[in-house]
Amino acid sequence: MEESPLIYYVEDDEHVRDLTSYALRQAGFQVHALPEARKRDFVAECAKAQPAAVLLDIMLPGDDGMELLRALRASDATEAIPVLMLTAKGTEFDKVVGLDAGADDYLSKPYGMMELISRVNALVRRASRPAHVSGKAAGAAGAPGAAGTARAASALGAASAATNTAASAPDLDDVLQAGDIELSPLARTAEVGGVELSLTRKEFDLLRFLMENRGRVLTREQLLEAVWGISFVGETRTVDMHVKTLRKKLAQARPGAEGAIVTVRGSGYRLRKGDR
């Protein structure tokens, strides 16, 4: 029998922690819930256990959720673990700060348990399956899915509709090429001139979307919606920060390859078509 996905959950409010943990377990997840955590110990534990996702409250005693998030993203062993921020803070500014720090999703309190489970399912599916897999197929594996969500709704008496924030991706089996850059959506690998790139999940998805639209100017808003699954109009450095790290890795693999991603002043970014 396949083992249930493990969720690490840090929340100092005992009532909220118990209720949320119960809902997640009813949905088919294993839950390791903590009232607080220290960065070094938490990262080491996550690196050892490799949870399917991490849920972090922002306002925590000791190291807060943002510090824990940054520590996870700074470690090679934990940088790709999906992270959902749970917080009473709900302003646009707070959401952007969390996303800029590397969060995959953000849910403000008070939240409905159906929506929470839907968000966690979406995170686990996106992390465990190739990006091109259809929603129907993705629901059949990876996260506990609709059956678990229905069980949790019955147990909690929830009646709200589930919201899936995962961005839809085109069905694409062919290897993408742009000059010396080659990317396989199916294998989730990318290389430059034969040198494989070590990319985080978001860096890979960003490069993939740029390659799927090579030659076209893509705005930051378009990239946020396609790669992060959010609609936002305003000031955020999320896209720029990921483009910067992606360029750095391209340059490390093959000096000059970073020039494939062109900044279009006042608009966004585009990927050169290259020679192919």
Side-chain angles (χ1 to χ4, degrees):
M1 181 180 295
E2 187 176 350
E3 190 172 336
S4 300
L6 172 64
I7 304 297
Y8 267 45
Y9 173 38
V10 188
E11 165 64 66
D12 63 326
D13 187 311
E14 184 177 2
H15 175 72
V16 174
R17 186 172 67 250
D18 289 347
L19 181 62
T20 302
S21 297
Y22 176 73
L24 289 166
R25 290 189 179 104
Q26 288 296 313
F29 292 101
Q30 298 180 66
V31 182
H32 180 48
L34 303 166
E36 61 180 301
R38 298 297 174 182
K39 289 183 293 186
R40 181 176 299 177
D41 295 338
F42 187 67
V43 170
E45 195 169 348
C46 286
K48 182 178 180 180
Q50 284 297 315
V54 170
L55 278 57
L56 295 175
D57 184 37
I58 288 185
M59 304 300 292
L60 293 169
D63 293 334
D64 64 28
M66 296 299 295
E67 291 177 292
L68 295 175
L69 171 63
R70 292 189 180 99
L72 288 172
R73 293 295 180 249
S75 170
D76 291 340
T78 59
E79 65 174 356
I81 295 175
V83 176
L84 172 64
M85 305 301 291
L86 302 170
T87 177
K89 293 184 176 182
T91 67
E92 246 179 9
F93 174 78
D94 291 320
K95 181 174 181 178
V96 169
V97 169
L99 292 170
D100 283 352
D104 294 277
D105 203 355
Y106 190 107
L107 190 59
S108 298
K109 299 177 183 177
Y111 48 79
M113 292 302 165
M114 284 285 286
E115 180 174 11
L116 170 74
I117 293 165
S118 179
R119 299 285 188 99
V120 174
N121 276 328
L123 284 181
V124 174
R125 282 198 301 268
R126 292 205 299 264
S128 63
R129 297 186 64 81
H132 75 285
V133 175
S134 66
K136 181 178 180 181
T149 302
R151 288 196 302 272
S154 176
L156 295 166
S160 59
T163 302
N164 190 332
T165 60
S168 59
D171 187 6
L172 185 62
D173 293 332
D174 295 335
V175 171
L176 299 172
Q177 292 183 318
D180 292 327
I181 304 173
E182 186 173 290
L183 181 146
S184 171
L186 186 61
R188 287 192 71 82
T189 58
E191 60 182 47
V192 182
V195 179
E196 186 168 355
L197 298 169
S198 177
L199 304 178
T200 65
R201 185 175 63 260
K202 292 303 182 187
E203 289 167 353
F204 181 89
D205 291 342
L206 175 60
L207 179 59
R208 175 175 58 83
F209 191 67
L210 286 167
M211 294 188 72
E212 288 170 349
N213 295 276
R214 51 194 177 276
R216 290 180 52 197
V217 177
L218 300 170
T219 66
R220 290 170 176 81
E221 289 77 15
Q222 287 175 310
L223 291 168
L224 272 173
E225 186 167 357
V227 178
W228 282 266
I230 61 170
S231 297
F232 177 79
V233 178
E235 291 297 324
T236 173
R237 298 289 295 172
T238 298
V239 173
D240 300 318
M241 288 168 58
H242 280 76
V243 168
K244 181 179 179 180
T245 59
L246 182 54
R247 281 173 169 162
K248 181 179 179 180
K249 290 183 179 182
L250 287 169
Q252 289 173 341
R254 189 183 182 99
E258 70 278 10
I261 303 177
V262 180
T263 301
V264 181
R265 191 174 298 276
S267 297
Y269 298 97
R270 68 176 173 86
L271 189 78
R272 297 183 191 277
K273 289 185 177 181
D275 299 327
R276 301 180 183 181

